Amino acid sequence: MELSNLNFTELQDLLKSVDAEISRRETEEKANAKKQILELAKSYGLSLDDVMSKATAAVRKPVEAKYKNPNDVSQTWTGRGRKPAWVQAQLDEGFSLEDLAI
């Protein structure tokens, strides 16, 4: 088919036909993919719920604080990650981490 030989109306009709065919084939492809996925899951003894369920993440309990600010006991630090400004200030004043330990 030579597109340059089609008039404007014929091109628009062709575009509508192409869009409809793309939509039909997309639906068909998705249905086939879904069928293949279900067959694969069944071959491994899995149900759809098994496949679609989110993996349960291990629940971590919060890490206990190891250090506290002697000037403000509400400020604590677990010893993980970047040192808070109050820890660095205490270290700069000559304190050690052992001095700040809870």
Side-chain angles (χ1 to χ4, degrees):
M1 172 184 298
E2 183 62 38
L3 296 179
S4 61
N5 292 336
L6 299 176
N7 67 33
F8 182 71
T9 305
E10 291 170 330
L11 285 171
Q12 286 182 321
D13 290 342
L14 180 60
L15 179 61
K16 288 177 188 175
S17 297
V18 168
D19 285 341
E21 183 63 18
I22 288 173
S23 178
R24 186 190 70 74
R25 287 191 188 183
E26 180 181 26
T27 301
E28 187 178 288
E29 288 291 321
K30 286 180 179 179
N32 287 337
K34 191 180 204 181
K35 181 180 174 186
Q36 289 176 352
I37 291 168
L38 288 173
E39 288 173 2
L40 182 62
K42 285 180 185 177
S43 72
Y44 283 95
L46 298 170
S47 70
L48 182 60
D49 288 337
D50 293 334
V51 173
M52 299 305 294
S53 67
K54 294 182 179 178
T56 55
V59 178
R60 294 183 182 183
K61 68 176 190 172
V63 178
E64 293 183 26
K66 294 181 182 178
Y67 307 100
K68 68 178 178 179
N69 185 348
N71 300 327
D72 183 356
V73 292
S74 68
Q75 293 180 323
T76 59
W77 180 47
T78 62
R80 295 184 178 181
R82 188 174 177 184
K83 291 181 189 131
W86 65 265
V87 172
Q88 191 59 53
Q90 293 290 326
L91 294 175
D92 292 344
E93 290 180 18
F95 289 91
S96 68
L97 282 178
E98 290 77 29
D99 296 329
L100 303 175
I102 293 178

